[in-house]
Amino acid sequence: MKIGKAEFCNNVFLAPMAGVTDRAFREICREMQCGFAYTEMISSKALFYGNKKTQDMFLTSSKEKSVGVQIFGSDPLVMAKSCDFFNDNEKIVLVDINMGCPAHKIVKNGEGSALMKNPILASQIVKEVKRASLKPVTVKMRIGFDDRNINVIDFAKCMEQSGADAIAVHGRTSAQMYIGKANWDIIGEVKKAVKIPVIGNGDIFTAEDADRILNKTQCDGIMIGRGAMGNPWIFNQILQYVNNCPVEYPTPRERVDVCIRHYKKSIYYSGENRAVKEMRKHIAWYIKGLKNSKEIKDKINYEKHSEGVFEILDKYRDLL
């Protein structure tokens, strides 16, 4: 798959997710044959004002050959200025603009999915970012803001005309958040309506789901979000399934082993204190459905040091 000058080894991508797609998790997913991965969404305003913590969010690891950076905001010129941070970074191969985030704190500022209610401003943002960026520019969107405002087809055409090199569509409205069922039919309609690549997103939790959305929508690629949480094996599984190969699933012990490896990467990149806090949710995802998982999760949530967490996980793995 290709977007502008950026080429990818396959068309199964890891979606940008706040608080999730940091360097450690991206590395794990790329090891599992993820075709491409994005940073967490980054505030263009925070970059503009020189926030160091925000700048750290687009750091890449030595093992990452390429990454997409996702920015959000509502000021076209400030959004464009963000490109100054990425243009000379060879590992950042595209800039994605978030127009799909449904979080209230983002929407109330006219950012994220709120931009779908303001296509004129959204168009200005794409034009300015496109003008400033030396990398392909893409847009991630929802099918509309709510059931009364499902405008994704016209919105997608507008983004294409404004210069977007590709779009990703999550098959829900902003008002739905993550409840209900993703509408894959309308993603297929978007694919027919534009000439640029379309990436389908929403309710892809298994290899079978991936195969169905690809066949139903004929989209150019797919983007896995929640389906990869605690399950980075999904990328391998999808490629195995669509290539008519036996699909391999991790054993309970393998799930814990990868969880531990993920944890160690998190400590390396983020430091002990942050990793202990950030990894709690990841551990819960990795062991979900395994025997005594709630008991183990509760024990880990009380631990303040990684040594204690590793001891719990080592003992737990041996019992599986």
Side-chain angles (χ1 to χ4, degrees):
M1 183 177 174
K2 189 174 182 181
I3 297 175
K5 294 180 180 179
E7 292 191 53
F8 314 102
C9 58
N10 66 62
N11 64 348
V12 185
F13 294 178
L14 172 66
M17 291 181 281
V20 178
T21 54
D22 59 8
R23 282 179 286 179
F25 188 54
R26 294 198 307 266
E27 264 194 22
I28 292 289
C29 291
R30 293 304 290 265
E31 289 172 8
M32 303 285 188
Q33 302 304 310
C34 166
F36 190 60
Y38 298 77
T39 65
E40 305 170 65
M41 67 177 190
I42 294 172
S43 168
S44 60
K45 189 178 294 184
L47 283 179
F48 184 78
Y49 288 108
N51 184 284
K52 178 65 169 60
K53 187 176 179 181
T54 303
Q55 292 178 25
D56 288 345
M57 291 173 70
F58 60 82
L59 292 175
T60 56
S61 76
S62 60
K63 294 183 179 180
E64 288 183 292
K65 294 182 179 179
S66 64
V67 69
V69 64
Q70 188 188 66
I71 57 174
F72 74 94
S74 58
D75 185 318
L77 296 180
V78 170
M79 296 279 278
K81 191 67 177 175
S82 298
C83 296
D84 291 347
F85 292 90
F86 317 132
N87 279 336
D88 294 330
N89 190 325
E90 293 182 358
K91 287 190 175 184
I92 294 175
V93 299
L94 67 78
V95 178
D96 185 69
I97 303 171
N98 185 303
M99 297 190 187
C101 180
H104 176 69
K105 66 179 181 180
I106 302 295
V107 171
K108 72 177 182 180
N109 293 325
E111 302 166 340
S113 59
L115 288 168
M116 294 199 72
K117 298 192 294 183
N118 193 344
I120 293 176
L121 176 58
S123 174
Q124 291 173 342
I125 289 172
V126 172
K127 288 176 180 177
E128 291 297 337
V129 174
K130 183 71 176 176
R131 188 176 293 121
S133 177
L134 298 179
K135 316 293 173 73
V137 175
T138 62
V139 178
K140 190 169 189 292
M141 62 188 71
R142 292 228 164 188
I143 62 172
F145 193 77
D146 53 36
D147 287 340
R148 294 172 296 176
N149 296 280
I150 295 178
N151 63 336
V152 66
I153 293 175
D154 288 340
F155 193 82
K157 288 179 180 179
C158 180
M159 297 304 98
E160 179 181 40
Q161 291 164 3
S162 301
D165 294 287
I167 56 174
V169 182
H170 182 120
R172 287 182 175 85
T173 65
S174 176
Q176 280 182 276
M177 299 290 284
Y178 298 96
I179 63 172
K181 191 175 181 180
N183 186 335
W184 292 352
D185 289 323
I186 201 165
I187 297 175
E189 292 177 30
V190 173
K191 171 59 186 169
K192 293 176 183 176
V194 298
K195 295 179 181 178
I196 55 176
V198 175
I199 301 167
N201 175 227
D203 288 353
I204 306 171
F205 296 103
T206 67
E208 292 82 359
D209 291 338
D211 189 54
R212 283 196 297 271
I213 190 173
L214 284 167
N215 287 322
K216 190 177 187 67
T217 66
Q218 295 297 303
C219 53
D220 301 276
I222 53 176
M223 190 176 279
I224 315 295
R226 291 174 298 151
M229 293 176 174
N231 185 29
W233 296 271
I234 191 171
F235 299 100
N236 260 330
Q237 291 163 359
I238 290 170
L239 295 180
Q240 289 164 351
Y241 189 88
V242 299
N243 287 300
N244 297 313
C245 297
V247 178
E248 300 173 356
Y249 297 92
T251 65
R253 286 192 176 195
E254 286 172 337
R255 287 167 65 173
V256 177
D257 280 337
V258 171
C259 177
I260 292 171
R261 191 151 56 85
H262 184 171
Y263 205 121
K264 290 178 179 179
K265 287 179 182 288
S266 185
I267 293 172
Y268 179 78
Y269 290 122
S270 303
E272 166 82 8
N273 292 337
R274 184 175 175 186
V276 169
K277 296 175 183 177
E278 291 290 323
M279 282 301 298
R280 286 172 181 158
K281 59 179 179 283
H282 284 283
I283 293 171
W285 294 329
Y286 275 112
I287 67 174
K288 184 179 179 181
L290 300 184
K291 66 179 182 181
N292 301 324
S293 60
K294 185 181 185 305
E295 177 187 342
I296 298 302
K297 183 182 71 172
D298 290 343
K299 283 183 179 179
I300 285 170
N301 286 345
Y302 280 108
E303 285 293 332
K304 295 183 180 180
H305 303 286
S306 61
E307 291 87 349
V309 175
F310 289 138
E311 185 177 345
I312 293 170
L313 289 175
D314 283 337
K315 289 179 179 178
Y316 182 52
R317 176 187 53 197
D318 292 341
L319 295 172
L320 294 171

